Amino acid sequence: MADTIRIGLIQAKNDVHGNEPVYLHKEKAIEKHERMVREAAAKGAQIICLQEIFYGPYFCAEQQPKWYESAEEVPNGPTVQHFSSLARELGTVLILPVYERVGIGTYYNTAAVIDADGTYLGKYRKQHIPHVGVGSSGCGFWEKYYFKPGNLGYPVFETAFAKVGVYICYDRHFPEGARLLGLNGAEIVFNPSATVAGLSEYLWKLEQPAHAVANGYYVAAINRVGTEAPWNMGEFYGQSYLVDPRGQFVAMGSRDQDEVIFAEMNRNKIHEVRDTWQFYRDRRPETYEDMVKLLP
């Protein structure tokens, strides 16, 4: 593996009104994101990450069974299969966040990891599921209606270019999984998100740099842009970024534009930082038992 890896982060707005049928959302979003993936690869991106459930709106703003139609099997569904072929054609690693269906009616918020030769390496299922209102209009992050909590742990995938972990949106508020990804060998953790101004924006540039520092790895944070009708529950504020193991921002996107954010991670910096801050050496897991006890 080379020491320097070029990262591409895709942030985009949803172009279809939420009242339109599911198939139209998926069709238009997949077309758009394929163009953006091709743009990223043409400019040298070796690992590319899309935003949370990229092929439609953030439908968790409402609670409607309509959106179950957008779920697919992973990896055998058409979207993962299509982007696996694209990854093979372009020679890029893809982090592909989708809505996963298992069996008849079990659903997860999932990211498939596809290697640069098109091989499906595995998936991460979002562990922490929010259910919280936003404003006074009845909209919110109603994710417990749509997703079961993940059950696959905190895997790290050895891709052609780097050891990759995934944490999805609300997961970023929980340091425990971030540490487990580091313990499992992650060099970079991708956090595809959908989050709006007025709720957590002040944490956006605080928590994930802290994870990067505490765990000695890079973090790539991805957020969509724009507002989405008919819910209009807030502005998705973009500002996707890569942060290094010192907590320094390497690159950051705009607040409101569709774009690919390009940045380089350097594996040598990971070694340098971990040799300086020996957090893995000095941790005391034998003293942390109370963290996993159930509270009354």
Side-chain angles (χ1 to χ4, degrees):
M1 291 184 179
D3 290 332
T4 302
I5 303 99
R6 190 157 169 80
I7 306 298
L9 310 177
I10 293 177
Q11 65 175 40
K13 61 181 177 294
N14 185 63
D15 297 321
V16 179
H17 192 282
N19 291 340
E20 295 292 339
V22 168
Y23 80 86
L24 184 62
H25 281 277
K26 293 182 74 172
E27 177 183 299
K28 296 300 183 182
I30 288 170
E31 288 176 0
K32 178 177 188 172
H33 283 82
E34 179 174 340
R35 290 195 302 271
M36 297 183 79
V37 167
R38 289 185 180 279
E39 174 192 343
K43 294 181 179 178
Q46 296 164 291
I47 307 177
I48 301 169
C49 185
L50 284 65
Q51 60 204 23
E52 184 181 16
I53 307 184
F54 79 94
Y55 54 42
Y58 181 73
F59 53 77
C60 305
E62 66 180 5
Q63 299 181 75
Q64 294 290 342
K66 160 187 175 178
W67 298 106
Y68 294 139
E69 298 174 28
S70 64
E72 302 180 5
E73 293 183 350
V74 176
N76 296 323
T79 301
V80 175
Q81 291 296 305
H82 176 75
F83 280 88
S84 293
S85 297
L86 185 63
R88 180 170 58 251
E89 174 192 341
L90 301 175
T92 60
V93 172
L94 292 180
I95 316 300
L96 193 73
V98 297
Y99 189 15
E100 181 188 10
R101 182 185 70 248
V102 178
I104 296 173
T106 301
Y107 302 97
Y108 295 97
N109 189 330
T110 297
V113 179
I114 303 165
D115 211 352
D117 62 358
T119 300
Y120 165 75
L121 296 178
K123 59 193 169 190
Y124 170 76
R125 289 173 173 161
K126 186 174 182 176
Q127 293 279 7
H128 306 93
I129 310 298
H131 207 70
V132 58
V134 177
S136 57
S137 63
C139 294
F141 293 86
W142 305 128
E143 296 197 11
K144 284 183 166 63
Y145 183 85
Y146 295 101
F147 313 125
K148 286 189 66 175
N151 57 1
L152 299 178
Y154 300 91
V156 169
F157 306 95
E158 186 154 359
T159 74
F161 304 114
K163 295 177 181 178
V164 166
V166 183
Y167 224 28
I168 297 177
C169 199
Y170 190 62
D171 285 331
R172 70 182 182 273
H173 302 304
F174 299 86
E176 296 86 356
R179 170 51 56 88
L180 285 168
L181 287 166
L183 290 171
N184 289 337
E187 296 171 310
I188 181 170
V189 171
F190 290 88
N191 183 269
S193 297
T195 189
V196 295
L199 184 65
S200 64
E201 186 172 1
Y202 74 101
L203 296 173
W204 181 246
K205 300 172 187 175
L206 175 65
E207 288 176 313
Q208 299 190 95
H211 292 328
V213 170
N215 297 293
Y217 52 47
Y218 283 80
V219 174
I222 305 94
N223 188 25
R224 61 178 62 207
V225 296
T227 57
E228 297 182 349
W231 313 289
N232 299 316
M233 72 171 184
E235 178 192 10
F236 295 97
Y237 50 79
Q239 300 176 87
S240 305
Y241 63 79
L242 182 70
V243 63
D244 73 17
R246 292 196 180 278
Q248 298 170 332
F249 293 102
V250 181
M252 183 175 297
S254 67
R255 186 184 183 88
D256 58 359
Q257 298 297 310
D258 291 358
E259 63 182 306
V260 182
I261 294 88
F262 295 98
E264 289 187 349
M265 63 171 283
N266 190 308
R267 189 173 284 106
N268 289 330
K269 181 165 285 190
I270 298 171
H271 292 292
E272 172 192 319
V273 169
R274 291 193 185 187
D275 285 347
T276 302
W277 291 104
Q278 289 284 357
F279 297 142
Y280 288 98
R281 181 195 65 193
D282 297 335
R283 56 189 295 272
R284 297 287 309 283
E286 71 277 11
T287 70
Y288 306 152
E289 291 94 344
D290 286 350
M291 288 185 65
V292 294
K293 290 182 179 178
L294 291 175
L295 296 175

